[in-house]
Amino acid sequence: MRQLEVALIGAGLIARLHLEAWIGAGAAVRVYADDGRAADVAREFGAKAVGSLAEALDGADAVDICTPTGSHHEIAMAAIAAGVGVVCEKPLSASIEEAEEIVAAAERAGVRLYPAHDVRFAPAYARLHELVAAGRVGDAAVGRFSFSAYHPRPWTGHVSARAGGILTDQLLHGADLAHWVFGDVVRVHACYQGEIATPAPEGAVATGTVVLTHAGGALSRIVSRWTATPKPPVRVTFHVSGTGGTVSYDSEWPQEVRVSDGEAGNFGYAGDSVFATEMREFAQAFAGGPEPRIGAADALAAVRITQAAAESAWTGRAVELPVKGAA
C-alpha cells in the first residue's frame, strides 16, 4: 500500500501534536509554515520542510490545517482546488458563510473534508455516545458539559466585540459533543462573563455558557472557562440523564465513566491519545477505509452553533436555527 502523503500547515503546539500522530499513523509528512519554524519542527520529528503552500500541496493526499482560524478558508480552498483532501483544526472558519463555501467546494470536487475536533476522539466521550445511542439511558433528555482550561495572558478572557472569543473557540468542543450525542440544534441561548480587553489583566477568568435546544427535544448546557490558574491545566466533565439512567464523567476521577441505570457499574478505558486515534481514523479514510466518526456536516454544524452563541451573547436574545431539511 502506498504511503499517505500529508501536507501539514503550521508549526505551533497543535501542529506538533498532529505531526506526531500522523507519523504514528504511518504517513509521510511535509511541513510548511510562513513564520520560519517549519524546518525546526520537521527536523525534530523526522519530517520534510517545504518552502511554500504550493509545494506542500503538490502531490499530497491530504492537507492538515493547523494555522490561525482566519487563514483556514484560503488554505482549504487552495487544497480543494488542487484535489487534496482536507483536515482542519477547529473551527473550520470564523464565519458561517466561509464554512459553507468550504463544505460546498469539497462536495463539488469530491474531496474529503474532516474537522479536527479532537475531544470527540476521547474515550470517555466515545463511550458516552455509544451508551446513549444504545439506549442505555433511555430517551436522553438533559446533558451538562463543562470544559475548563488554562490560557496564559493575553488569551485569558479575550473576546473581541461580536467575534465571540471563548464562545466560538473552546465552547465549540461542547457544542460538537452535544450535537453528536443529542442531534441537531434548533435554539441557542448564550451568555459571556469575563474581561473584554486585549490583553486581559492578570488573573482574569472568562466563562461562556450556552443552553442548546435539540430538534428531538433534549436540552444541553455547556460551560467553558478560560482561567489564568494553571492547576489543573484542563478539566472536563459531563452529566447526561435520560428516562432510563445517567452517565457521568469527570477527568479528575480515578475512574473514567460512571453509569447509573439500576445496575452498579463503572466503565474505564486505556489507550492512545486523542490525536493518535483521530489521525489514525483520518488516515484510514484517506486510504479508502471506513469514514471517521466526524465529517464535513459536523464541522458546519459546530460553526453554526457557536456563531449563534456569539450572536445570542451579544444581543441577549436566543437565536433560532433552521431545522435540517426544512424549506
Side-chain angles (χ1 to χ4, degrees):
M1 181 182 295
R2 187 177 69 84
Q3 190 174 27
L4 187 73
E5 294 279 345
V6 175
L8 181 74
I9 314 301
L13 173 61
I14 289 296
R16 295 165 70 89
L17 294 169
H18 283 206
L19 176 54
E20 182 178 36
W22 280 119
I23 292 173
V29 184
R30 76 278 299 263
V31 183
Y32 169 68
D34 61 8
D35 59 5
R37 292 187 292 168
D40 289 341
V41 172
R43 187 181 308 111
E44 179 181 349
F45 289 92
K48 174 185 177 183
V50 296
S52 68
L53 177 61
E55 186 179 357
L57 294 176
D58 185 23
D61 299 299
V63 64
D64 184 356
I65 305 171
C66 298
T67 57
T69 304
S71 64
H72 289 182
H73 177 266
E74 179 182 358
I75 298 170
M77 294 300 286
I80 292 167
V84 176
V86 175
V87 171
C88 187
E89 183 56 39
K90 62 123 184 119
L92 181 60
S93 174
S95 82
I96 296 172
E97 293 74 20
E98 285 189 354
E100 289 175 338
E101 185 177 0
I102 293 169
V103 171
E107 290 177 350
R108 287 195 302 270
V111 167
R112 290 182 172 89
L113 170 62
Y114 304 129
H117 297 178
D118 58 271
V119 175
R120 191 183 279 212
F121 294 83
Y125 292 100
R127 183 60 172 155
L128 169 65
H129 179 266
E130 178 183 304
L131 290 167
V132 173
R136 288 291 301 275
V137 298
D139 294 327
V142 179
R144 300 198 305 270
F145 302 86
S146 74
F147 298 81
S148 297
Y150 167 62
H151 276 246
R153 190 179 184 187
W155 296 103
T156 303
H158 171 249
V159 62
S160 175
R162 293 174 183 260
I166 194 170
L167 293 168
T168 54
D169 189 287
Q170 183 182 322
L171 192 134
L172 182 143
H173 287 304
D176 177 58
L177 292 167
H179 174 258
W180 191 32
V181 173
F182 292 121
D184 291 337
V185 173
V186 296
R187 194 169 190 264
V188 179
H189 201 169
C191 66
Y192 172 87
Q193 293 176 302
E195 300 292 336
I196 305 178
T198 308
E202 289 286 357
V205 175
T207 301
T209 303
V210 64
V211 175
L212 306 178
T213 303
H214 297 265
L219 294 174
S220 57
R221 186 189 70 175
I222 303 156
V223 179
S224 287
R225 295 183 182 89
W226 280 338
T227 133
T229 303
K231 295 181 180 180
V234 176
R235 183 182 181 186
V236 296
T237 74
F238 65 70
H239 188 90
V240 172
S241 296
T243 56
T246 297
V247 186
S248 298
Y249 169 75
D250 188 321
S251 59
E252 293 195 335
W253 290 346
Q255 69 276 6
E256 300 300 345
V257 182
R258 294 176 179 170
V259 180
S260 303
D261 61 355
E263 302 175 10
N266 297 322
F267 295 90
Y269 71 82
D272 294 332
S273 75
V274 293
F275 300 104
T277 303
E278 182 179 39
M279 299 313 157
R280 185 167 56 246
E281 286 194 18
F282 293 160
Q284 289 171 348
F286 283 121
E291 286 297 296
R293 69 190 72 179
I294 192 166
D298 302 303
L300 190 52
V303 172
R304 285 172 174 160
I305 293 167
T306 54
Q307 289 297 318
E311 180 183 346
S312 174
W314 181 258
T315 63
R317 298 189 296 270
V319 175
E320 307 291 332
L321 295 180
V323 178
K324 184 183 293 186

